Amino acid sequence: MLTINETRLLSDLAALAEIGRTEDGGVSRLALSSADEAGRWWFQAQVIAAGLEFRQDGAGNLSAVLPAADPQAQTLLIGSHLDTVLNGGRFDGALGVLAALEVARTLAEAGAALPFHLEVISFTDEEGAVVGLLGSQAVAGQLTYAHLANPRGGAAALEDGMARLGLTPDTILAARRDPVLLAGYVELHIEQGTRLEEAHLDIGVVTGIVGIRSAWLQFQGQAAHAGTMPMLERADALWGAAEFVQRARSLVIDRFSPGVMNCGRLDLAPGSFNIVPAEVKLALEFRHGTEGQLDEMAAALFSLAEEVAQANNLSVTIEETSGCTAAPAAETVVRAIETAADRLGLSHTRLMSFAGHDTQSMAAITPSAMIFVPSVNGVSHSPQEFSEDRDVINGANVLLQTVLALA
Ligand SMILES: [Zn+2]
């Protein structure tokens, strides 16, 4: 069976980790920074040395292409991102790009004849130092001038970064790809959690990336003297909000597992030792794998809020805010990954990703799925982020066999 060159992949990972290396062994290669630029030059050199065709699109996405014999063939994309968070780890993103590069090199050396162009891709700004999922959203046609006008990293960071890489808003939006020309997208990534490690499994087959919904819940009661108002006559907004938080937790565990919910903020008014809270504004966020499940969760959580408000002599208003659409993986690609893991004799399980990835952009335009490998202690976005060599190699071989299974 064809397998990747383990030594070459591990030495690539070590070499890339030197670019933007921090004092405590982490990596800072923020998107569009000078360290990111250095990483891009390094990657380009590896691609050229491998005899693959190097490309950069208008969004700064970098590619290494192994062409099919038929120029009219579709393109299978494999990759991830080279940028990191501030003082992040050596594996998040880098593993997916370098394993994809190693897969293309292995197939080129083997003289494999594929029915599609194989394109290794490193997407710009996955982590969101500037926009977040910038490169993959551009490719998927999900980016607009409005996104670029108000980037989360600030307009100056985007301006400077675009100047450094020779990009403009026009070139970024022109990076959009025609879905008809794509055969799919596969991304290898570290799990960034402990599910695989705890279950002693080799490979996670990602069935989708969760969607996120959020809402402000405002419980309204009546301010009163904290001493003289009898307990049974109070309309204490915090009593309602507290009951909601506890019951929402049980509701989600009992009915919506593996969905999750979080109450990340409570604003109390008037907010004093000696006044019964009249008003509580609560930030609610919840995540699940499909829009259908999110709809059911929203209905259950919001009706719980109404029920709790009534029982506590309160009223409640619910204001839904921006969220993020769930991105289910394509069953064809999920099966190809399972076939690949079986061929290699690796144990695997299906799971959902509760973190965002470039795959969520790509899943909207082409059949996509992800391969997860274990993260030691689930640590990520930290210098302590680590995956064992064995898991790195397993993941790359599963990616290789997935490409062959899809061929
Ligand atoms: Zn990542």
Side-chain angles (χ1 to χ4, degrees):
M1 192 179 353
L2 191 61
T3 52
I4 56 111
N5 183 325
E6 303 176 1
T7 316
R8 194 165 56 186
L9 172 59
L10 294 174
S11 87
D12 272 1
L13 266 170
L16 179 61
E18 293 301 314
I19 302 174
R21 185 192 168 98
T22 58
E23 274 176 17
D24 48 1
V27 182
S28 282
R29 264 194 322 270
L30 296 180
L32 309 188
S33 67
S34 56
D36 182 33
E37 189 184 14
R40 289 163 172 271
W41 283 111
W42 177 86
F43 179 72
Q44 179 173 357
Q46 308 314 305
V47 172
I48 291 166
L52 299 165
E53 187 187 323
F54 176 79
R55 287 185 202 157
Q56 175 173 324
D57 71 11
N61 298 315
L62 306 182
S63 297
V65 183
L66 176 63
D70 176 9
Q72 307 298 318
Q74 287 183 312
T75 295
L76 180 71
L77 294 161
I78 55 173
S80 192
H81 58 96
L82 289 176
D83 68 310
T84 72
V85 295
L86 188 68
N87 205 18
R90 299 160 49 200
F91 298 87
D92 181 352
L95 170 64
V97 175
L98 297 183
L101 176 63
E102 179 52 34
V103 164
R105 278 191 300 225
T106 300
L107 288 165
E109 285 166 359
L114 299 172
F116 38 67
H117 306 297
L118 183 65
E119 180 174 339
V120 175
I121 191 159
S122 169
F123 289 111
T124 299
D125 184 32
E126 190 272 347
E127 297 287 8
V130 187
V131 173
L133 303 178
L134 174 66
S136 57
Q137 286 197 82
V139 165
Q142 295 165 347
L143 215 58
T144 63
Y145 288 104
H147 286 106
L148 299 176
N150 190 21
R152 66 183 232 171
L158 179 59
E159 282 292 323
D160 293 352
M162 288 194 302
R164 178 173 280 122
L165 299 184
L167 315 176
T168 68
D170 288 339
T171 66
I172 291 174
L173 265 62
R176 179 177 195 155
R177 304 272 285 257
D178 184 349
V180 171
L181 302 176
L182 301 179
Y185 174 65
V186 190
E187 179 168 359
L188 169 64
H189 206 279
I190 54 168
E191 185 198 345
Q192 305 175 283
T194 55
R195 289 170 290 174
L196 295 174
E197 188 179 50
E198 280 171 8
H200 301 286
L201 291 166
D202 299 316
I203 296 293
V205 185
V206 180
T207 54
I209 294 161
V210 294
I212 305 172
R213 301 269 180 100
S214 53
W216 284 110
L217 269 51
Q218 189 165 337
F219 291 93
Q220 188 71 48
Q222 187 77 51
H225 192 291
T228 58
M229 176 63 81
M231 290 291 274
L232 293 176
E233 286 169 35
R234 295 183 184 197
D236 184 325
L238 183 57
W239 290 356
E243 185 181 336
F244 172 79
V245 173
Q246 290 293 343
R247 288 182 58 186
R249 169 176 173 268
S250 304
L251 175 79
V252 169
I253 291 170
D254 294 345
R255 279 184 51 196
F256 295 102
S257 184
V260 294
M261 59 77 72
N262 183 54
C263 296
R265 183 168 157 183
L266 286 179
D267 293 338
L268 265 74
S272 176
F273 278 109
N274 55 6
I275 308 174
V276 172
E279 196 180 289
V280 172
K281 204 172 169 192
L282 179 156
L284 170 69
E285 189 203 76
F286 49 100
R287 306 180 183 216
H288 214 310
T290 68
E291 290 301 302
Q293 284 159 324
L294 285 167
D295 287 342
E296 280 181 40
M297 257 176 125
L301 286 166
F302 296 163
S303 86
L304 175 66
E306 302 278 0
E307 184 192 324
V308 166
Q310 213 163 33
N312 286 277
N313 198 17
L314 309 169
S315 65
V316 64
T317 55
I318 296 164
E319 182 198 338
E320 289 190 70
T321 57
S322 67
C324 183
T325 311
E331 184 64 20
T332 48
V333 186
V334 166
R335 290 238 175 91
I337 296 168
E338 288 173 333
T339 303
D342 286 339
R343 276 184 198 165
L344 291 156
L346 299 172
S347 57
H348 55 86
T349 187
R350 290 186 174 204
L351 42 73
M352 246 186 312
S353 172
F354 284 86
H357 296 288
D358 290 309
T359 297
Q360 77 196 58
S361 313
M362 298 306 293
I365 59 160
T366 195
S368 303
M370 296 184 79
I371 303 161
F372 275 177
V373 292
S375 301
V376 173
N377 296 324
V379 177
S380 183
H381 286 188
S382 152
Q384 273 73 49
E385 180 180 280
F386 186 71
S387 289
E388 302 285 352
D389 289 352
R390 189 184 67 100
D391 292 318
V392 164
I393 291 159
N394 284 345
N397 277 320
V398 170
L399 182 62
L400 170 63
Q401 291 300 324
T402 300
V403 170
L404 293 171
L406 289 169

Short mmCIF file of all heavy atoms in Angstrom, two decimals, residues 173-201:
data_model
loop_
_atom_site.label_atom_id
_atom_site.label_comp_id
_atom_site.label_asym_id
_atom_site.label_seq_id
_atom_site.Cartn_x
_atom_site.Cartn_y
_atom_site.Cartn_z
N LEU A 173 -12.24 39.26 -3.79
CA LEU A 173 -13.55 38.76 -4.21
C LEU A 173 -13.48 37.96 -5.50
O LEU A 173 -14.31 37.07 -5.75
CB LEU A 173 -14.56 39.92 -4.33
CG LEU A 173 -15.41 40.11 -3.07
CD1 LEU A 173 -14.58 40.46 -1.86
CD2 LEU A 173 -16.46 41.18 -3.29
N ALA A 174 -12.46 38.25 -6.33
CA ALA A 174 -12.31 37.52 -7.60
C ALA A 174 -11.74 36.11 -7.39
O ALA A 174 -11.63 35.33 -8.34
CB ALA A 174 -11.41 38.31 -8.55
N ALA A 175 -11.37 35.77 -6.15
CA ALA A 175 -10.83 34.43 -5.88
C ALA A 175 -11.94 33.36 -5.87
O ALA A 175 -11.65 32.17 -5.78
CB ALA A 175 -10.10 34.41 -4.53
N ARG A 176 -13.17 33.80 -5.98
CA ARG A 176 -14.31 32.88 -6.02
C ARG A 176 -14.09 31.80 -7.09
O ARG A 176 -13.67 32.08 -8.20
CB ARG A 176 -15.57 33.69 -6.36
CG ARG A 176 -16.80 32.88 -6.46
CD ARG A 176 -17.99 33.78 -6.72
NE ARG A 176 -19.21 33.03 -6.46
CZ ARG A 176 -20.36 33.56 -6.13
NH1 ARG A 176 -20.48 34.86 -6.01
NH2 ARG A 176 -21.40 32.79 -5.90
N ARG A 177 -14.40 30.55 -6.73
CA ARG A 177 -14.21 29.44 -7.67
C ARG A 177 -15.56 28.91 -8.10
O ARG A 177 -16.52 28.88 -7.33
CB ARG A 177 -13.41 28.31 -7.00
CG ARG A 177 -12.06 28.73 -6.45
CD ARG A 177 -10.95 28.65 -7.46
NE ARG A 177 -10.54 27.28 -7.70
CZ ARG A 177 -9.43 26.72 -7.19
NH1 ARG A 177 -8.64 27.41 -6.38
NH2 ARG A 177 -9.09 25.48 -7.48
N ASP A 178 -15.62 28.44 -9.35
CA ASP A 178 -16.84 27.85 -9.88
C ASP A 178 -17.01 26.43 -9.32
O ASP A 178 -16.16 25.57 -9.57
CB ASP A 178 -16.75 27.81 -11.41
CG ASP A 178 -18.03 27.30 -12.05
OD1 ASP A 178 -18.90 26.79 -11.31
OD2 ASP A 178 -18.14 27.40 -13.28
N PRO A 179 -18.08 26.18 -8.54
CA PRO A 179 -18.26 24.86 -7.92
C PRO A 179 -18.25 23.71 -8.94
O PRO A 179 -17.86 22.59 -8.60
CB PRO A 179 -19.63 24.97 -7.25
CG PRO A 179 -19.86 26.42 -7.04
CD PRO A 179 -19.16 27.12 -8.18
N VAL A 180 -18.67 24.00 -10.16
CA VAL A 180 -18.72 22.96 -11.19
C VAL A 180 -17.33 22.37 -11.45
O VAL A 180 -17.20 21.21 -11.82
CB VAL A 180 -19.32 23.56 -12.50
CG1 VAL A 180 -19.19 22.60 -13.66
CG2 VAL A 180 -20.76 23.95 -12.27
N LEU A 181 -16.31 23.18 -11.20
CA LEU A 181 -14.94 22.73 -11.49
C LEU A 181 -14.31 21.99 -10.31
O LEU A 181 -13.18 21.53 -10.40
CB LEU A 181 -14.07 23.94 -11.86
CG LEU A 181 -14.56 24.76 -13.07
CD1 LEU A 181 -13.68 25.98 -13.29
CD2 LEU A 181 -14.57 23.88 -14.32
N LEU A 182 -15.05 21.90 -9.19
CA LEU A 182 -14.48 21.27 -7.99
C LEU A 182 -15.04 19.87 -7.76
O LEU A 182 -16.24 19.63 -7.92
CB LEU A 182 -14.78 22.15 -6.76
CG LEU A 182 -14.23 23.58 -6.82
CD1 LEU A 182 -14.62 24.35 -5.56
CD2 LEU A 182 -12.72 23.59 -7.00
N ALA A 183 -14.15 18.96 -7.35
CA ALA A 183 -14.56 17.59 -7.04
C ALA A 183 -14.80 17.40 -5.55
O ALA A 183 -15.43 16.43 -5.13
CB ALA A 183 -13.49 16.61 -7.52
N GLY A 184 -14.30 18.32 -4.72
CA GLY A 184 -14.49 18.18 -3.28
C GLY A 184 -13.37 18.85 -2.51
O GLY A 184 -12.44 19.43 -3.10
N TYR A 185 -13.48 18.79 -1.17
CA TYR A 185 -12.45 19.36 -0.29
C TYR A 185 -12.31 18.46 0.93
O TYR A 185 -13.30 18.07 1.55
CB TYR A 185 -12.84 20.78 0.16
CG TYR A 185 -11.89 21.37 1.18
CD1 TYR A 185 -10.57 21.64 0.85
CD2 TYR A 185 -12.31 21.64 2.48
CE1 TYR A 185 -9.69 22.18 1.78
CE2 TYR A 185 -11.44 22.18 3.42
CZ TYR A 185 -10.12 22.45 3.06
OH TYR A 185 -9.25 22.98 3.98
N VAL A 186 -11.07 18.11 1.25
CA VAL A 186 -10.79 17.30 2.44
C VAL A 186 -9.73 18.01 3.28
O VAL A 186 -8.70 18.44 2.75
CB VAL A 186 -10.27 15.88 2.07
CG1 VAL A 186 -10.23 15.00 3.32
CG2 VAL A 186 -11.14 15.24 1.00
N GLU A 187 -10.00 18.13 4.58
CA GLU A 187 -9.08 18.84 5.48
C GLU A 187 -8.70 17.94 6.65
O GLU A 187 -9.57 17.44 7.37
CB GLU A 187 -9.75 20.13 5.99
CG GLU A 187 -8.88 20.93 6.96
CD GLU A 187 -9.41 22.34 7.25
OE1 GLU A 187 -10.45 22.72 6.67
OE2 GLU A 187 -8.77 23.05 8.05
N LEU A 188 -7.39 17.76 6.83
CA LEU A 188 -6.87 17.06 8.01
C LEU A 188 -6.56 18.11 9.07
O LEU A 188 -5.97 19.15 8.77
CB LEU A 188 -5.59 16.29 7.63
CG LEU A 188 -4.77 15.72 8.80
CD1 LEU A 188 -5.54 14.66 9.56
CD2 LEU A 188 -3.44 15.15 8.28
N HIS A 189 -6.94 17.85 10.33
CA HIS A 189 -6.77 18.83 11.38
C HIS A 189 -6.62 18.10 12.71
O HIS A 189 -7.11 16.99 12.87
CB HIS A 189 -8.00 19.76 11.44
CG HIS A 189 -7.72 21.12 11.99
ND1 HIS A 189 -7.65 21.37 13.34
CD2 HIS A 189 -7.49 22.31 11.38
CE1 HIS A 189 -7.40 22.66 13.53
NE2 HIS A 189 -7.28 23.26 12.35
N ILE A 190 -5.97 18.75 13.67
CA ILE A 190 -5.97 18.19 15.02
C ILE A 190 -7.36 18.38 15.63
O ILE A 190 -8.07 19.33 15.28
CB ILE A 190 -4.90 18.86 15.92
CG1 ILE A 190 -5.05 20.39 15.91
CG2 ILE A 190 -3.51 18.44 15.46
CD1 ILE A 190 -4.22 21.09 16.97
N GLU A 191 -7.73 17.48 16.56
CA GLU A 191 -9.10 17.54 17.10
C GLU A 191 -9.34 18.77 17.95
O GLU A 191 -10.44 19.30 17.96
CB GLU A 191 -9.38 16.28 17.94
CG GLU A 191 -10.82 16.23 18.44
CD GLU A 191 -11.05 15.28 19.60
OE1 GLU A 191 -10.18 14.44 19.89
OE2 GLU A 191 -12.11 15.40 20.25
N GLN A 192 -8.33 19.22 18.69
CA GLN A 192 -8.46 20.37 19.62
C GLN A 192 -9.44 20.05 20.74
O GLN A 192 -10.05 20.95 21.32
CB GLN A 192 -8.90 21.64 18.88
CG GLN A 192 -7.99 22.02 17.72
CD GLN A 192 -8.47 23.21 16.92
OE1 GLN A 192 -9.38 23.08 16.12
NE2 GLN A 192 -7.87 24.37 17.13
N GLY A 193 -9.62 18.76 21.02
CA GLY A 193 -10.51 18.31 22.09
C GLY A 193 -9.98 16.96 22.57
O GLY A 193 -8.91 16.52 22.14
N THR A 194 -10.74 16.30 23.45
CA THR A 194 -10.23 15.07 24.07
C THR A 194 -11.04 13.83 23.72
O THR A 194 -10.80 12.76 24.29
CB THR A 194 -10.23 15.21 25.61
OG1 THR A 194 -11.56 15.56 26.02
CG2 THR A 194 -9.26 16.26 26.09
N ARG A 195 -11.99 13.96 22.79
CA ARG A 195 -12.86 12.82 22.54
C ARG A 195 -12.11 11.60 22.00
O ARG A 195 -12.34 10.47 22.44
CB ARG A 195 -13.99 13.21 21.56
CG ARG A 195 -15.01 14.14 22.19
CD ARG A 195 -15.97 14.71 21.17
NE ARG A 195 -15.30 15.65 20.28
CZ ARG A 195 -15.87 16.22 19.21
NH1 ARG A 195 -17.12 15.92 18.90
NH2 ARG A 195 -15.20 17.08 18.47
N LEU A 196 -11.19 11.81 21.04
CA LEU A 196 -10.43 10.68 20.48
C LEU A 196 -9.48 10.11 21.51
O LEU A 196 -9.37 8.89 21.68
CB LEU A 196 -9.65 11.14 19.24
CG LEU A 196 -10.51 11.57 18.05
CD1 LEU A 196 -9.63 12.13 16.93
CD2 LEU A 196 -11.33 10.39 17.52
N GLU A 197 -8.79 11.00 22.23
CA GLU A 197 -7.80 10.56 23.23
C GLU A 197 -8.48 9.71 24.31
O GLU A 197 -8.01 8.63 24.66
CB GLU A 197 -7.15 11.79 23.84
CG GLU A 197 -6.00 11.50 24.75
CD GLU A 197 -5.38 12.79 25.30
OE1 GLU A 197 -6.13 13.64 25.81
OE2 GLU A 197 -4.16 12.95 25.20
N GLU A 198 -9.62 10.18 24.80
CA GLU A 198 -10.30 9.46 25.88
C GLU A 198 -10.82 8.11 25.42
O GLU A 198 -10.88 7.16 26.19
CB GLU A 198 -11.46 10.31 26.43
CG GLU A 198 -10.94 11.36 27.41
CD GLU A 198 -12.00 12.37 27.82
OE1 GLU A 198 -13.18 12.18 27.45
OE2 GLU A 198 -11.64 13.36 28.47
N ALA A 199 -11.22 8.03 24.15
CA ALA A 199 -11.77 6.77 23.62
C ALA A 199 -10.67 5.89 23.03
O ALA A 199 -10.96 4.82 22.50
CB ALA A 199 -12.84 7.07 22.58
N HIS A 200 -9.42 6.34 23.10
CA HIS A 200 -8.29 5.61 22.51
C HIS A 200 -8.53 5.27 21.06
O HIS A 200 -8.34 4.12 20.63
CB HIS A 200 -7.98 4.34 23.33
CG HIS A 200 -7.66 4.63 24.77
ND1 HIS A 200 -6.47 5.18 25.17
CD2 HIS A 200 -8.40 4.48 25.89
CE1 HIS A 200 -6.47 5.36 26.48
NE2 HIS A 200 -7.65 4.94 26.95
N LEU A 201 -8.97 6.28 20.29
CA LEU A 201 -9.23 6.08 18.87
C LEU A 201 -8.19 6.84 18.04
O LEU A 201 -7.67 7.87 18.47
CB LEU A 201 -10.64 6.57 18.52
CG LEU A 201 -11.78 5.72 19.10
CD1 LEU A 201 -13.10 6.46 18.99
CD2 LEU A 201 -11.85 4.38 18.38
#
